[in-house]
Amino acid sequence: MASTSSSTRTNRKEEESLYETWMNLQREELTELEQAATQARNGHINDQELTKLIQKITNNFQEYSNNRKRLAQIDAPTFFAPISCTPLENSVLWIGGCRPSSFIRFIYSLCGIEIESHLTEFFQGTKIGELSDLTAKQITMVDELQGKTITEERELCSRLSSLQANIVDQPLPSKLKKDNGDDQGDQYSENAYERLDEQIHEMATVVEEADELRMKTLQEITSLLTPAQAVEYLAAAKRLRLCFQQWGKKRDHEHTNKLNSVD
């Protein structure tokens, strides 16, 4: 059991390091994307070069997902409330990450179809002209992708719900038998622990499939957009993600200050 605990601690440190490295990469990629978007608007970069950049971004995302898959096989529950994220970030996680359908709703917001006031303020002064010019065909494709993605999300949510119920319910009979003085209680408890490991392994599979859906959704979005639109979309998405992290840190800082003032 001691070796298991040590392995878990090591895995969580690796997960935290992976996340920190990933967020640093987001900052670097944002700079690249913003520069490319500016060059595209001024006609100083062609579609081939933009496509190469988009492929680089998606490859990095795939590599990140592969590393998450490896770590999830060791300690899947870590991904549902990662210590590397702020409570605000954790509060909106969907199976260890962003909800894929939110990628699609973000397109609607950027092209002004259903933009909200806080996003209007957030993107004030930001040029997203390419995304405001989606064709009717593109909008239809976005709508179809949204419907398909939501269906797949619901299937994963249903599987996760069943797993969570099993994880909570399965150990109870063994725990009760042990508490009632049954001589075989230790064996029941050990069996329950093994069963719990099996359920957590299945949970890791759900995290993996959720990451695959995120990856697939992103690829489909960039394929239905023009290269210039995709670059602007990716830049805006990364900017929002980084800001969300900062908002979470700011809220934590304010909360700590309030607690200290009460003390």
Side-chain angles (χ1 to χ4, degrees):
M1 190 68 69
S3 62
T4 300
S5 298
S6 176
S7 176
T8 299
R9 286 194 297 271
T10 300
N11 184 74
R12 290 177 181 175
K13 288 181 180 179
E14 188 174 356
E15 186 276 329
E16 187 173 5
S17 176
L18 174 65
Y19 177 78
E20 183 179 350
T21 300
W22 173 246
M23 293 307 293
N24 288 335
L25 180 60
Q26 299 313 288
R27 296 180 181 90
E28 295 174 9
E29 290 180 342
L30 175 58
T31 299
E32 288 185 82
L33 288 163
E34 288 180 331
Q35 290 175 347
T38 299
Q39 291 176 327
R41 286 191 293 269
N42 295 329
H44 297 156
I45 190 171
N46 59 41
D47 282 356
Q48 185 177 2
E49 293 172 294
L50 292 175
T51 300
K52 185 177 179 180
L53 175 58
I54 293 165
Q55 188 60 54
K56 173 186 172 182
I57 299 295
T58 54
N59 287 344
N60 287 342
F61 190 17
Q62 183 63 68
E63 182 179 358
Y64 177 60
S65 296
N66 292 341
N67 285 322
R68 279 168 54 92
K69 174 183 176 180
R70 174 176 55 81
L71 295 175
Q73 291 296 330
I74 302 171
D75 188 21
T78 301
F79 289 87
F80 287 84
I83 58 175
S84 49
C85 293
T86 64
L88 177 62
E89 291 171 281
N90 283 339
S91 70
V92 296
L93 288 183
W94 178 84
I95 314 186
C98 295
R99 184 180 287 273
S101 58
S102 69
F103 297 176
I104 304 166
R105 289 196 300 274
F106 194 49
I107 297 177
Y108 294 136
S109 296
L110 290 174
C111 68
I113 293 178
E114 51 179 38
I115 197 160
E116 299 177 11
S117 58
H118 65 282
L119 279 177
T120 304
E121 180 180 354
F122 175 74
F123 287 108
Q124 187 173 8
T126 302
K127 293 183 180 297
I128 50 175
E130 292 290 338
L131 280 165
S132 65
D133 295 328
L134 290 183
T135 65
K137 181 179 179 180
Q138 285 178 309
I139 293 174
T140 297
M141 294 171 68
V142 170
D143 288 342
E144 291 174 351
L145 178 59
Q146 183 181 43
K148 181 176 65 174
T149 302
I150 289 175
T151 297
E152 294 185 62
E153 284 179 350
R154 287 173 178 166
E155 292 174 356
L156 284 172
C157 283
S158 177
R159 286 177 54 196
L160 179 61
S161 179
S162 296
L163 277 173
Q164 289 172 328
N166 289 337
I167 288 172
V168 173
D169 295 345
Q170 184 66 32
L172 293 182
S174 304
K175 179 69 167 61
L176 291 172
K177 287 182 180 181
K178 185 174 182 178
D179 288 347
N180 288 334
D182 193 320
D183 291 339
Q184 295 183 340
D186 288 339
Q187 183 62 44
Y188 282 121
S189 181
E190 185 63 28
N191 290 340
Y193 192 80
E194 291 176 1
R195 179 56 180 157
L196 181 62
D197 272 352
E198 293 175 8
Q199 298 286 355
I200 290 176
H201 180 74
E202 292 180 34
M203 185 180 288
T205 301
V206 174
V207 173
E208 177 187 345
E209 292 183 16
D211 275 0
E212 288 174 355
L213 180 57
R214 281 183 271 267
M215 185 74 233
K216 183 175 70 172
T217 304
L218 180 62
Q219 289 175 324
E220 293 196 36
I221 287 173
T222 56
S223 68
L224 66 85
L225 298 175
T226 67
Q229 288 171 338
V231 164
E232 290 191 352
Y233 169 83
L234 290 170
K238 290 182 185 296
R239 190 180 306 114
L240 181 59
R241 177 65 188 90
L242 290 167
C243 279
F244 205 80
Q245 182 188 51
Q246 290 303 312
W247 294 335
K249 290 180 178 180
K250 181 180 178 181
R251 287 179 63 87
D252 284 357
H253 181 69
E254 292 173 347
H255 181 64
T256 300
N257 288 342
K258 287 180 182 178
L259 290 177
N260 290 338
S261 65
V262 171
D263 293 342

